[in-house]
């Protein structure tokens, strides 16, 4: 209870108010002192109390200055932390971009691998060109054969037409010969009949 009351009276517990009150009382006693020895004694007490007050004030100023420096240090640390947080956010954003780029590269590589597998199933360009050249030559050869067959077919058609025409003429000739033979036979028969009469 005593400690609690003293702390309440002293404020922050340094005892400065009590020292100042004691200094004022010592000054009043020194002013009212009758003898020189008592005055000297009071004077020494006042000096001692004043020295304690100055020491306490100096200590308070040092603490105040230290607190200011601590505040500046804390503000600097706070700014450093804020800068670190901002840098961390930037690094996180950059890492996200790198992750997206890496995913895109991986996807492209997978597509490239799939295309490469498809391409591997087909012959290469040189082999394909050789095959196309061989097919072109074969097609040209077949076209030449087709032209020869068509020419032969046309020749055979003309020869068949000539043969048919010859057969038709031969048939006409034979028919004419038969009619002529019949006419001659008929005429000979008629002449023989006249001769007998």
């Amino acid at each position: 209870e005593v400690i609690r009351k003293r702390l309440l009276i002293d404020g922050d517990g340094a005892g400065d108010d009590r020292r100042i009150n004691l200094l004022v009382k010592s000054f009043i006693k020194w002013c009212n002192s009758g003898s020189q020895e008592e005055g000297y004694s009071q004077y020494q007490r006042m000096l001692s109390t004043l020295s304690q007050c100055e020491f306490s004030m100096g200590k308070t100023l040092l603490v105040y200055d230290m607190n200011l420096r601590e505040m500046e240090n804390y503000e600097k640390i706070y700014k450093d932390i804020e800068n670190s947080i901002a840098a961390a956010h930037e690094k996180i954003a950059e890492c996200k971009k790198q992750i997206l780029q890496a995913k895109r590269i991986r996807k492209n590589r997978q597509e490239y691998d799939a295309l490469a597998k498809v391409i591997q199933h087909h012959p290469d360009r040189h082999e394909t060109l050789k095959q196309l050249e061989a097919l072109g030559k074969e097609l040209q050869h077949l076209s030449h054969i087709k032209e020869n067959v068509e020419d032969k077919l046309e020749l055979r058609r003309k020869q068949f037409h000539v043969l048919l025409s010859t057969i038709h003429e031969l048939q006409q000739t034979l028919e004419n010969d038969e009619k002529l033979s019949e006419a001659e036979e008929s005429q000979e028969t008629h002449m023989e009949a006249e001769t007998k009469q």
Side-chain angles (χ1 to χ4, degrees), residues 159-188:
Q159 289 176 349
F160 185 69
H161 182 69
V162 171
L163 179 63
L164 285 177
S165 299
T166 304
I167 291 172
H168 184 67
E169 289 177 359
L170 182 61
Q171 190 175 4
Q172 285 292 113
T173 303
L174 289 174
E175 287 178 357
N176 290 334
D177 288 344
E178 286 180 1
K179 286 180 181 179
L180 186 60
S181 296
E182 289 177 358
E184 288 178 352
E185 288 178 0
S186 175
Q187 189 175 3
E188 286 177 358

Side-chain angles (χ1 to χ4, degrees), residues 131-144:
Q131 290 179 0
L132 286 174
E133 187 177 355
L135 289 173
K137 289 180 179 179
E138 186 177 355
L139 182 63
Q140 187 176 2
H141 179 66
L142 290 174
S143 298
H144 185 65

Side-chain angles (χ1 to χ4, degrees), residues 14-58:
D16 293 337
D17 293 339
R18 187 174 59 82
R19 287 194 192 98
I20 292 172
N21 291 333
L22 184 61
L23 181 61
V24 172
K25 287 179 182 178
S26 297
F27 180 73
I28 293 170
K29 283 183 181 180
W30 179 71
C31 291
N32 295 327
S33 62
S35 63
Q36 188 175 0
E37 290 180 4
E38 188 179 352
Y40 182 75
S41 162
Q42 289 295 332
Y43 177 71
Q44 291 297 325
R45 287 177 188 164
M46 280 193 304
L47 288 178
S48 175
T49 305
L50 187 61
S51 171
Q52 289 178 1
C53 289
E54 287 177 351
F55 175 77
S56 178
M57 185 179 69

